[in-house]
Amino acid sequence: MRIFPLSNWTELDIWHYIGHEGIEIPSIYYAHQRRVFDRGGMWFTESEFNPCRDGETVVEKTVRFRTVGDLTLTGAVESGRHHRQDHRRDRGRPRHRAWRDPPR
């Protein structure tokens, strides 16, 4: 039997867990000014490995990555979240019951 304990957790549940446990995460997960371009409704970072196509224009935006993966496939979202607390503060209460009222 395979078990995936995080499969029912939302992004907010994960951020609450990270905050509760005091887990340090790389700054790439937080919002930064980046040179990005729109491709199909998603912001991608400009690089030699991910050049703009005809009609795409590079702009500076404050964006973050919800996941980290291949530069050519991972899109960013506009965000003002610069710290772990920003994720918890602006998203409300977690869905997963374990993090609604974390242990003290």
Side-chain angles (χ1 to χ4, degrees), residues 6-37:
L6 298 179
S7 64
N8 291 327
W9 285 28
T10 66
E11 180 183 8
L12 181 60
D13 292 328
I14 300 297
W15 282 109
H16 274 270
Y17 177 80
I18 288 169
H20 179 265
E21 296 297 320
I23 298 169
E24 294 298 320
I25 62 170
S27 66
I28 193 169
Y29 286 101
Y30 301 120
H32 297 284
Q33 279 289 118
R34 294 184 169 96
R35 292 177 50 83
V36 296
F37 59 90

Side-chain angles (χ1 to χ4, degrees), residues 46 65 70 84:
E46 172 197 37
F65 296 95
D70 184 324
R84 179 176 59 219

Side-chain angles (χ1 to χ4, degrees), residues 83-103:
H83 305 284
R84 179 176 59 219
Q85 295 81 3
D86 294 338
H87 289 273
R88 296 176 69 193
R89 186 172 41 243
D90 70 358
R91 299 292 300 264
R93 291 172 53 87
R95 185 184 74 176
H96 194 272
R97 66 177 177 266
W99 298 109
R100 287 189 190 132
D101 297 303

